[in-house]
Structure formats: C-alpha cells, structure tokens
Amino acid sequence: MRVRHLTGLALALTLLPGLAACGGGSGPESEEPAGEATSADIVPTQEEAAPASNVPSDTFVQVTIGEPETLDPAWTYETSGAAVESNLYDTPLYFNREKADDYVPQLAESWTLSDDQKTITLTMRKGVTFHAGGTLEPSDVAYSLHRAMLQDRVDGPMTLFLNPLLGTSTIEGYAFAKADISTDVPEGAEAPTLEQVPADVIQQVCEDVKATVVADNDAGTVTITLKQPTPWFPQLLSQPWSAVLDKEWMIEQKDWDDDCATWPQWHNPEPQESVLFDKANGTGPYKLGEWKKGQEITLEANADYWRTEPIWEGGPSGPAKLTHIVIQKVDEWGTRFAKLTAGEADTIVVPRANIDQMASLVHTEYDGGDEGAPATEVNPGGSVNLFKGYPTVAADAAMFHFAINPESEFIGSGQLDGNGIPVDFFTDIDVRKGFAHCFNWETFIQDALKGEGVQTRGPIIQGLQGYSDTSPIYEYDPVKCEASLAKAWGGKLPETGFTMTLAYNQGNDTRKTAAEILADELAAINEKYKIEVQELEWATFLEARRAQKFPISIAGWLADYYDASNWVEPFMSSAGAYARAQSFPADMQAKFDEKIAAGLAETDPAKRDAIYAELQQMAIDEAIDIFLAQSTGRFYVSRQTTGWYNNPLAPGLWYYAMSKP
Amino acid sequence: MTNYIIRRLLLLPVILFGVTLLIFAMISFLSAEQRAALYVADVPKKPGALEKIIEQYGLNDPVHEQYGRWIKSMADGNLGFSKTGKQPVAQVIRDRIPATAELALWSIVPILVVGIQLGILSALRHNQWSDHVLRVASIVGTSAPTFMVGLLLLMFFAAYAGWLPTGDRLTHEMQRVVDAPGWRSPTGLLTVDGLVNGRVDVVWDALKHLVLPVATLSFVSWAVMLRITRSSMLEVLRQEYVQTARAKGLAERAVIQKHARPNAMLPVVTVGGFQLISLLNGAVVTETVFNWPGIGRSFVQAASNLDIITVLGLVLFSSTLLIVGNLAVDVLYAWLDPRVRLN
C-alpha cells in the first residue's frame, strides 16, 4: 500500500482540467486513435514481485471507452464490437501470433489453395461444439458466410467478401445489375430497392452467393471459389467477419432460414434487429456473460473449449487461463487512471496526451510489440509494463462530407448566413483546401501524439504500395488557408463566416485535440469561422455518420488486411465505409471507382504501385479529407499479466493468449 | 389534515397533466423519425418503413389524438426506446434507479445529521469563533465543485492510499455473486439485498464502495443544511416564546430542545426533502467520477448524445418524482406545522 500524498495531489490537480474527456483505438472503424494503447506481455522480474493487484489472478479487467454497436459479427465493422467477438467466435483460420500474413488452422484443421489461387478448400475440424451445445459442421461455415454476404448492411464489412467472391461491392448492386435496374437515378428521385427486384432474380442472387462457398458435410470440407486471385483472403478468414455460427441455432432464434426466397427480410438490418445484437453462440474460448449496456461486458471462459494442442509453438491450449473477463466502459480519464493506479484494472485506454501521467506507474518499458522486445526497467515500484514503438496499421483522418443530411443538427441554420453552413458547403474545393492548410500537424503530433507519429500523406499508409515519402501533402499555412477560404463560395465566406459542429467519439482525446486545433486555427484566421466541438458516444457517432449528418467527421481506420486496396476502398470507393457517407460528386466518384477497380484487377506489382500512387495523389488533389497521422503503438498492462503480443490487424485483445501466474 | 391532503392530492393530476403537456410539446418539435423512437427501437432501413410507422402509430394524426396515444403508451410503461441505453427508456430507468436510490438514501443521512447538528451548534455559538469557522467551512462546502471534491477523494483514498475502491457498486467477485442465478433482489439496493440473501460480505463490499461517493455528495450538501438550520435556529431563538421560556426559568437545554429546535426544523424539512428528491434524480457529476451506474450518468450520456427521447423520458421521471416528493414534503410540513393546514 503506497501512500504518496504529494504526488497524488499534484497528479489529481493536473487531472482536473482534463476531466471532461479522453480517448483511445483502431480497427475497421476504430474508436481509439491510431496506435493508441492496447495490451501487453510482461513477466515480473525475479528479484521483485509485482505490486499487489486488486484484480484476482483468474480475472482480467480492461477499462476502455465506447462499447459495441452490436455483437453480430457480420454487422460489426468497428473495433469495440470486433474485439469482443474475436474472443467469442472462432474463425476457419487464425493469425500465426503477431504475423499478419501467416496463418494457423483454427476451425479448419487444414486448408489448401489451388494452383490458380482461385479455390480455397477448408477441411473442417470434427468434434467442436458451440456454446449452446450444437456440433460444428461444414454447413455452419457456409451458412455463416452466406448469411453475412446477404445481410450486407450499409457501410458494413461484407464488401470485403463480395468483391473477391462475386465482383461486386454490395449485394443490392449485384441484384440490381442482374435485374437490369439502373442505380443511376436523377437527383430527387428515389433510389431503387430490393422490392423492385423480381423474385427469380432474388433467388438467383442467393444461389450465386451460395455457389461461392459450398459445404460438403460428408467430406468435412468447405470450398470457397474466388472470382480472381485474392492474396489477402486468408486474412479475412482469420477475422471476426468469418465467425462461424450454428446454423440450426440461428434458425431456431428466427434469423435467416437459409431459404433463397426470404433473404431480403434479413438484409441490411438495424443493429437491434439482429438476433445476435446482444447474444452470442460461438465456439470460441469465451462465452458471453452479460452485456450491461453503457457499463460493462463480461466474458466467461468456455470450460469445454475444443483446443487441446497449442495454437502455435508455446501458445495457449485447453480452456482459457483467465476465466473472467470484464470490459468496463469508463469515459473519464481521471477515473480510468485511478482504477489502474489502485490496481483495480489490468489495462486502460491511455490517450497519448496523458502518457506523462502514466510514467510513475511504469515498471518496465519494452521497445516493441511483445515480451521478447528489448526491455528497460524504469521504476522498480511500478505496477504496469509498457510496450511501445511497435508498428501499427491504423491512421486517423478528418473527412469532409459533400452532401450533408438536411436533418443534421450539426450544421446550424443550414444556410451560409454565419449561423450555419449549407448542406453542400464542402463541395467547394477552396473550402476543403483552406481547411487542410489550417490544420497544424506539428502541434497535433506534439500535443496529441507526444511526437510519436508522422503525418499521413493520403489514405495509403507507410509500407504499402502507392506510398511515397516524397508525395505532395498539405502543410500548415495560415496564409494559404485564409486565401483559399477567401476565394470560396464566390468570395462571400470572410463576410458571412460559418458555424458548424465537429463531433468526435467520447473519451477520445486525440481526436478531440485534432478538432480543437482545426477550430482554433480557423477562428484565428477569422472570428466568424466558428467550429464547435462536441463529443458523442461511439455508437451514436457511428450512427450519425452513417446518416450523413456530419459536416466533418474525425475517425480512424485499422486495416482489415495488409494491402493498399484496403485503404483506398474505405476512404475513396462509392461503397467505402467512410467515402459512401461523404457523397463525393458523381464524376469524382466515378474516377475513384474506376481506378480502385483497376488496382484490384492488376497483378503486376509495379503497375499496382503506380495505380495506388495515383489514387493517393487524387485524394490529395481533391482534398477529400485532412489526413492526420499514423502513430506507433503504445500499450500498458499490469505486471501480473503475461502473454500479450501485438498483431497489427487484431481488433483488440485476444484474452485466450494471456494469463496471470 | 385529511382535507389538506385531499386538496393536495386533487392537485396532483392537474400538475402531472401540465408536465406531460410540456413534454409532449417538446416531442412534437421532433422529426417523425425521432418521434418513431417512442414506439419502435429502430426505423428499419427499408423503403417505406418510416411511412408505415407513421401510419401505424398515427404520427401525423391531430395533436390531441397523438397526445392521447402517447399517454396510453406511457401508462403501459412505454417511454420510448433509448438509443444510448440500447434498450427501452423504462428499462434504463428500472436498471439505474436502484444504484441512484442507494446512493441518495445513504447520502441523505450524513447530510441531515451533520448539517443540522452543525447548524444548531453554529446558531447557539452565534458570533463566537466556532460559528465563524463553521460559516467559512459552509461557504467552502457550497462553493467546492463536486467534480473537484470527488476527484481529490478518489485520488487520495482510492488510487494512492488504496483504502477504498475507486468506483462501481461492487468488486468484480461480489458482482458475480449478485449476478448469479438464485440471487434475490427485492429492492435493488445492494446493502439491503445482501442482508436478504444472508451475504454480509456483499453488504460490506457495497458499503465500502458507497463511502467515497457518499462523502462527495455529503461534503457539498451538508453546508446547505448547516446554513438553513443556522438561520432558522437564530430566527427562532429571537422569538418571544423562547424568551418567555427562558424567563420562566427553564434550563437552557430544555429551551433549545423543547421549544427552539422543533420549530427551527420546519424550513429544514423542506430543504432536506428537496435535497433527497434531487439526489434521487441522480447525482450527475458524482456518478460520473465514481463510475456509478445511476440515473445521473444516463442523463449525461443521453444529453451529450442528443438522445432526446431518453432525455425526455428521464425528465418525465424526474418531474413525477419531484411532484410526488413535493407533495410528501408539503404533507409532512403540514403535519409538523398546524398553521399550514389551517390556512
């Protein structure tokens, strides 16, 4: 029991001004800033045991921000939900520990890829049972993928599967094309709907989907047929979107009945409409305990977990060592910090801006993504270990919305009268360029990321095709900012000014800082340029963005697979998780889509590199977003915890690999 | 007394009617899609789904018909669907009220005991050094921001000293006991349910978790009670009947306890009653700092996320509580002071 009143007073006082909000994450749609703290793997030194923790050794307490929108793995395309699902469900394959491009069999005991790289055959494991008692069969795998692709909710993850399997971005688009229904409707006219698609086409669409993933229960195999070679497809089979559901159980719960005539009833549901909204029945190492909305999610170890051999050399096997998992939602940084200091939490989300406060708690610093990294003991009395400096595949951006929903509560009067902005405010490129020149990256990287980041040069991050250290970027330049904005909207802006609200997800101080920097710089140019900054709870933020209510949204992207296509798709494609809601003008969107399709079809590495470099340039030329920064990883965890490692594509902690002595 | 209570009870529905009218007027300003949340969890993203809901629930009907339907829906326990709570608003209130009630009931005890006792002491030592100290302390107490007090207590007693938990209602081990099948929860108050289930360890754990939030709420509220009690007591002590009692030769102790204090308590009852009602409506900051899963946190979450249906549901709950609480305070006041009921 350490009583450190003076330090405590100093720390408490420094916490006061920042009580209102903080943040952290990444993932498909990432609630935490890129590279923010996540988890770790530490062994207490022999000579000194770790300080006493108030968390029992069979329990792991993670204190985080935000909570899932749903626990349906086919619906989820954000990290809070995907992180939970990755512990509840198994997938056919899994990442070989920290390697993002190497796999180990999971529910598939083996897998093969044909010579033409278009057919993947999974041989499924026998004797695996679901949490509710059902037995895993190959048809469960096929049903799960069929259901997911036909469900295909707007801005969801299924475009990742539909593209390589059917050559389409959305199942609706595929149905309309088959039914010869034009989606190019005049402005003001209603978009086509599935109800207009004839029944025989509805049936055919489903049969086409079923033909891409075929189960043979007798042979124990699942055969997946790709339209074109897709090197990253095994990565998709290792992520929660490939979670295997129990077909019979799902039908009992009144989900899709596997009938090709009925799938539109389950297509594009709201989160609460799915039977898996707050229920789960997977084969994973954990069962869902309870989801107390707005408070916490608990997971309980699956005592009957099927795995008897280590997943990789030295890896876990048998039931999970940590039998109770508590994932608490605590938005206040001060409360999260107190919990970690008091030993009531094993890990917390630490906004980069608060890392100085964490220094006194750190026992050992690991300069890398697991316990094998070079380590330095910094404070013998510290209660947590820090892993830092490991690479991430995540980045944040502030995205301009070109056609804002007129019902939006974030655009004030909806007019260019100084009290709001019109819904098409950002269609003027001078506005976008002006905003980009008004963002001070140096301040952002120093203040919000404590210097541990670099400015991103477009949607494509370092290390991928299309990325170049010398490609043009926007630089902070108040003079150019002022000049651009003076030109915008026929030169009216300096006189009228504007008012809008910029939202970020609650608890995420990094994004809050980005929003405040932009607001302050614009106000410094002209006091009539007003941006109000507002926090929104994660699920509310995502819903408002899908509804196209934001003028600008700040969010992060964690790669689904390691390829440039997974960066241009969300940020630039008409079906992209971010770009769709931004509503780029038709001609701009057509140019993006054409180039994205060319990149997907191209197999020559040099040509691919050129295509993605061109896309990177187009994103900058059109100033579709303010591309913020890519940072390295930083993760704090209690000294008692061992087994953490960083896999850059993982949406969150995989508790199965972790334990406490 | 009976007539007085009947008169007040007859007024109750009138006031409630006024409150519901105000809330319904606010709801009427919402878009049809937002108003749909009064009846359905989500508007399906199917073409024509919104129109179907508008027709089914008569969201474009004349206002008085919509009001009648809304009242009937509320009478059935439906306050709409909470986007932030991801469940019906009524369920959010049901889930959260026990935590808030437990915190409020435990907090009101020190607020009343400490505030009243110190108020009497301050009045009796009028203009002596102890009076001055207490007056300064009460000013500090009323002006100290709750979040600052809460955070300082949290950092000192929980994070660094480790004497008390940092927040929540129970430790995770005890929470598992409470969540396990077979746990009886007649009140939702863990300190009571723990006794009902014969689990003293749960009661002890719950009490430890209550200490810091109760101390925070008490610290900022006892000063109000002190000031009210002090001024009321000073006023009573100047009354002629107190002078008469002293002139009759009654011992000072008897004068204070039999004549002054009971009469000085009348305004204290009113303020104390409102303090309790206010606490039952949720201690927004305290619940946030101590991660307390009560009504106050729901209010903050809903308001900061523009979840208007939830906010209005909680406002209706708070208003009803205030009206009923106000009635209870008035009745108690009338029972204590015959002048009120006779007038």
Side-chain angles (χ1 to χ4, degrees):
Chain A
M1 212 62 69
R2 290 162 300 119
V3 185
R4 296 187 292 181
H5 283 201
L6 291 177
T7 315
L9 176 61
L11 280 172
L13 290 174
T14 57
L15 284 169
L16 295 178
L19 183 69
C22 316
S26 46
E29 289 190 38
S30 163
E31 90 196 85
E32 297 174 19
E36 203 73 337
T38 328
S39 98
D41 179 17
I42 299 94
V43 181
T45 53
Q46 293 297 316
E47 56 275 17
E48 190 200 2
S53 166
N54 290 320
V55 181
S57 61
D58 63 350
T59 303
F60 188 84
V61 179
Q62 179 183 5
V63 182
T64 184
I65 55 175
E67 66 177 347
E69 288 191 283
T70 172
L71 293 179
D72 183 342
W75 205 100
T76 300
Y77 207 21
E78 50 81 28
T79 46
S80 284
V84 176
E85 290 154 13
S86 67
N87 289 282
L88 298 170
Y89 293 94
D90 284 328
T91 46
L93 308 178
Y94 199 65
F95 294 111
N96 188 357
R97 200 169 182 272
E98 79 281 6
K99 299 180 186 74
D101 56 354
D102 189 19
Y103 317 95
V104 291
Q106 200 175 48
L107 286 181
E109 61 186 13
S110 64
W111 63 289
T112 59
L113 181 64
S114 64
D115 290 342
D116 66 358
Q117 299 186 51
K118 288 185 177 178
T119 307
I120 297 172
T121 305
L122 307 167
T123 302
M124 300 306 297
R125 206 173 286 278
K126 292 186 175 66
V128 175
T129 54
F130 288 92
H131 299 159
T135 304
L136 172 74
E137 291 184 287
S139 52
D140 293 317
V141 181
Y143 170 83
S144 304
L145 290 174
H146 299 157
R147 170 188 178 272
M149 285 190 276
L150 292 168
Q151 176 177 297
D152 186 32
R153 63 100 167 167
V154 168
D155 293 349
M158 282 306 125
T159 186
L160 299 169
F161 289 77
L162 291 167
N163 260 317
L165 292 173
L166 285 171
T168 183
S169 293
T170 67
I171 202 68
E172 278 193 351
Y174 186 76
F176 295 149
K178 265 196 153 356
D180 279 333
I181 295 173
S182 173
T183 52
D184 191 14
V185 292
E187 200 175 320
E190 292 217 347
T193 68
L194 278 182
E195 287 177 347
Q196 294 164 247
V197 177
D200 60 323
V201 177
I202 290 288
Q203 180 83 20
Q204 188 58 51
V205 167
C206 171
E207 283 169 9
D208 288 354
V209 166
K210 287 192 171 187
T212 62
V213 183
V214 177
D216 183 339
N217 280 356
D218 294 334
T221 59
V222 176
T223 306
I224 300 171
T225 308
L226 302 166
K227 214 167 172 60
Q228 61 190 41
T230 310
W232 56 84
F233 203 82
Q235 295 183 7
L236 304 183
L237 292 176
S238 308
Q239 298 266 34
W241 316 300
S242 295
V244 179
L245 314 173
D246 183 346
K247 176 179 162 183
E248 287 74 26
W249 184 84
M250 290 294 287
I251 294 171
E252 273 173 32
Q253 304 297 312
K254 310 289 184 210
D255 203 281
W256 180 47
D257 53 8
D258 204 27
D259 182 345
C260 272
T262 61
W263 68 266
Q265 293 173 38
W266 284 273
H267 170 69
N268 190 25
E270 289 295 329
Q272 282 92 352
E273 289 180 308
S274 165
V275 301
L276 297 179
F277 167 62
D278 57 3
K279 275 196 272 192
N281 178 24
T283 60
Y286 288 94
K287 298 178 180 181
L288 179 63
E290 190 179 1
W291 178 6
K292 292 181 185 167
K293 315 285 187 318
Q295 299 174 50
E296 64 180 30
I297 296 175
T298 54
L299 310 180
E300 300 297 331
N302 174 8
D304 302 320
Y305 192 48
W306 54 270
R307 188 181 293 282
T308 53
E309 300 296 322
I311 183 168
W312 50 69
E313 196 180 332
S317 64
K321 305 288 184 298
L322 295 169
T323 52
H324 309 291
I325 306 295
V326 181
I327 306 163
Q328 272 196 310
K329 178 180 181 288
V330 177
D331 297 320
E332 291 302 328
W333 159 246
T335 311
R336 290 201 301 275
F337 179 69
K339 280 180 175 292
L340 190 67
T341 308
E344 292 180 12
D346 290 296
T347 186
I348 62 172
V349 167
V350 181
R352 196 71 59 139
N354 297 103
I355 60 177
D356 291 343
Q357 289 173 6
M358 291 292 295
S360 65
L361 300 185
V362 175
H363 177 272
T364 301
E365 276 186 15
Y366 291 87
D367 195 12
D370 66 21
E371 61 191 1
T376 311
E377 187 175 305
V378 293
N379 173 14
S383 58
V384 301
N385 285 333
L386 164 64
F387 295 80
K388 65 172 194 174
Y390 52 85
T392 65
V393 286
D396 282 358
M399 294 161 241
F400 300 121
H401 290 247
F402 289 58
I404 306 161
N405 186 333
E407 302 276 309
S408 169
E409 50 274 58
F410 303 103
I411 56 173
S413 64
Q415 307 292 328
L416 197 59
D417 56 4
N419 298 316
I421 54 166
V423 294
D424 56 350
F425 185 66
F426 286 109
T427 54
D428 189 323
I429 193 167
D430 286 317
V431 174
R432 304 196 300 270
K433 285 186 173 177
F435 273 54
H437 279 302
C438 252
F439 189 77
N440 190 333
W441 276 271
E442 192 181 339
T443 302
F444 175 66
I445 289 169
Q446 285 309 316
D447 288 3
L449 301 178
K450 294 288 178 184
E452 295 179 351
V454 292
Q455 178 178 351
T456 38
R457 312 184 77 87
I460 299 171
I461 59 169
Q462 281 179 332
L464 295 175
Q465 285 178 317
Y467 183 88
S468 164
D469 280 337
T470 56
S471 65
I473 49 174
Y474 288 95
E475 287 173 356
Y476 170 59
D477 187 336
V479 176
K480 285 185 182 169
C481 169
E482 186 171 12
S484 275
L485 293 176
K487 263 169 56 185
W489 285 86
K492 285 187 289 187
L493 272 192
E495 184 55 36
T496 59
F498 56 78
T499 302
M500 72 180 87
T501 301
L502 205 169
Y504 68 95
N505 58 301
Q506 193 172 45
N508 192 317
D509 270 2
T510 302
R511 291 178 193 156
K512 181 186 177 198
T513 304
E516 288 173 345
I517 287 172
L518 186 60
D520 291 348
E521 295 292 349
L522 284 164
I525 296 287
N526 184 334
E527 61 182 15
K528 292 180 183 172
Y529 297 165
K530 294 177 196 155
I531 290 188
E532 287 158 13
V533 178
Q534 183 182 348
E535 65 174 12
L536 288 177
E537 200 265 329
W538 178 232
T540 310
F541 176 89
L542 294 174
E543 190 185 354
R545 210 201 54 228
R546 277 197 299 278
Q548 299 170 273
K549 289 187 171 179
F550 291 138
I552 304 174
S553 56
I554 301 184
W557 185 255
L558 167 68
D560 305 315
Y561 56 88
Y562 196 64
D563 188 84
S565 59
N566 189 233
W567 288 88
V568 294
E569 177 81 21
F571 286 102
M572 299 177 79
S573 162
S574 54
Y578 289 143
R580 184 203 63 80
Q582 286 176 264
S583 310
F584 300 139
D587 54 339
M588 186 198 295
Q589 187 63 72
K591 280 194 290 182
F592 291 170
D593 283 350
E594 188 185 345
K595 197 58 76 179
I596 289 168
L600 282 173
E602 186 56 65
T603 53
D604 182 278
K607 288 181 182 168
R608 278 192 107 220
D609 188 62
I611 290 170
Y612 286 118
E614 215 176 319
L615 279 161
Q616 183 94 321
Q617 183 67 50
M618 289 161 85
I620 293 293
D621 288 345
E622 296 290 356
I624 56 174
D625 300 341
I626 303 174
F627 294 100
L628 298 176
Q630 180 185 2
S631 57
T632 52
R634 182 175 268 267
F635 177 71
Y636 299 87
V637 72
S638 62
R639 283 177 60 198
Q640 288 79 8
T641 307
T642 65
W644 178 79
Y645 61 89
N646 170 54
N647 183 303
L649 295 183
L653 300 183
W654 199 48
Y655 309 109
Y656 185 57
M658 296 159 69
S659 61
K660 293 181 182 178
Chain B
M1 185 70 182
T2 310
N3 282 341
Y4 176 78
I5 293 174
I6 289 170
R7 280 206 312 273
R8 295 307 312 267
L9 280 174
L10 286 174
L11 268 179
L12 197 65
V14 178
I15 300 169
L16 277 172
F17 175 69
V19 168
T20 57
L21 269 187
L22 272 175
I23 291 174
F24 186 75
M26 287 188 257
I27 289 173
S28 304
F29 285 114
L30 301 178
S31 67
E33 189 172 355
Q34 286 174 307
R35 278 183 289 136
L38 287 170
Y39 302 102
V40 294
D42 266 313
V43 178
K45 288 194 289 280
K46 311 277 190 293
L50 179 60
E51 290 73 17
K52 206 169 156 187
I53 289 168
I54 289 173
E55 190 182 345
Q56 185 179 350
Y57 295 101
L59 297 178
N60 279 343
D61 287 354
V63 174
H64 66 277
E65 286 180 24
Q66 286 191 54
Y67 175 76
R69 202 174 294 116
W70 177 65
I71 289 288
K72 184 175 180 309
S73 171
M74 280 201 310
D76 293 340
N78 175 25
L79 297 176
F81 193 84
S82 168
K83 295 267 183 202
T84 45
K86 298 186 176 68
Q87 55 190 337
V89 175
Q91 189 61 44
V92 171
I93 294 171
R94 270 197 293 275
D95 285 354
R96 302 276 180 144
I97 193 65
T100 292
E102 185 154 48
L103 182 56
L105 293 172
W106 278 98
S107 298
I108 200 70
V109 176
I111 290 170
L112 293 180
V113 171
V114 176
I116 292 171
Q117 288 306 320
L118 291 182
I120 292 171
L121 180 72
S122 186
L124 295 178
R125 307 273 168 86
H126 186 45
N127 281 338
Q128 295 177 26
W129 69 267
S130 51
D131 179 32
H132 296 313
V133 168
L134 285 170
R135 281 164 61 197
V136 169
S138 75
I139 290 167
V140 171
T142 42
S143 54
T146 315
F147 78 88
M148 190 193 79
V149 174
L151 202 50
L152 287 173
L153 292 177
L154 179 73
M155 295 310 297
F156 283 137
F157 295 104
Y160 289 104
W163 295 333
L164 292 162
T166 57
D168 310 318
R169 294 182 75 192
L170 289 173
T171 56
H172 303 297
E173 301 93 296
M174 288 299 135
Q175 190 63 52
R176 282 201 290 278
V177 172
V178 170
D179 290 342
W183 177 264
R184 285 165 294 151
S185 187
T187 66
L189 310 182
L190 296 171
T191 46
V192 177
D193 292 350
L195 291 174
V196 171
N197 287 271
R199 292 295 301 253
V200 179
D201 50 351
V202 171
V203 177
W204 178 239
D205 196 48
L207 284 171
K208 282 198 292 184
H209 282 79
L210 276 162
V211 172
L212 289 181
V214 163
T216 304
L217 283 175
S218 306
F219 185 82
V220 295
S221 301
W222 68 266
V224 176
M225 293 307 301
L226 182 150
R227 291 168 73 85
I228 293 291
T229 309
R230 179 181 177 276
S231 59
S232 175
M233 193 73 181
L234 283 175
E235 193 181 327
V236 169
L237 287 173
R238 288 189 204 107
Q239 297 295 315
E240 288 179 355
Y241 63 87
V242 174
Q243 308 293 338
T244 307
R246 281 180 176 143
K248 282 196 304 183
L250 268 183
E252 184 63 15
R253 186 183 172 84
V255 172
I256 300 299
Q257 293 199 345
K258 287 188 180 167
H259 295 278
R261 196 167 65 178
N263 288 308
M265 287 301 102
L266 292 174
V268 174
V269 167
T270 309
V271 174
F274 280 116
Q275 291 251 20
L276 179 61
I277 295 163
S278 161
L279 289 171
L280 286 171
N281 275 325
V284 172
V285 177
T286 306
E287 289 185 4
T288 302
V289 170
F290 292 99
N291 203 38
W292 197 263
I295 290 282
R297 259 179 73 196
S298 289
F299 232 128
V300 173
Q301 277 180 329
S304 64
N305 285 285
L306 312 174
D307 182 0
I308 298 169
I309 293 296
T310 305
V311 170
L312 292 177
L314 292 171
V315 166
L316 185 67
F317 167 78
S318 296
S319 310
T320 308
L321 196 64
L322 189 71
I323 292 165
V324 174
N326 191 23
L327 173 73
V329 170
D330 282 355
V331 170
L332 184 61
Y333 202 98
W335 180 67
L336 290 171
D337 188 351
R339 290 172 299 181
V340 174
R341 56 178 184 262
L342 291 175
N343 287 335

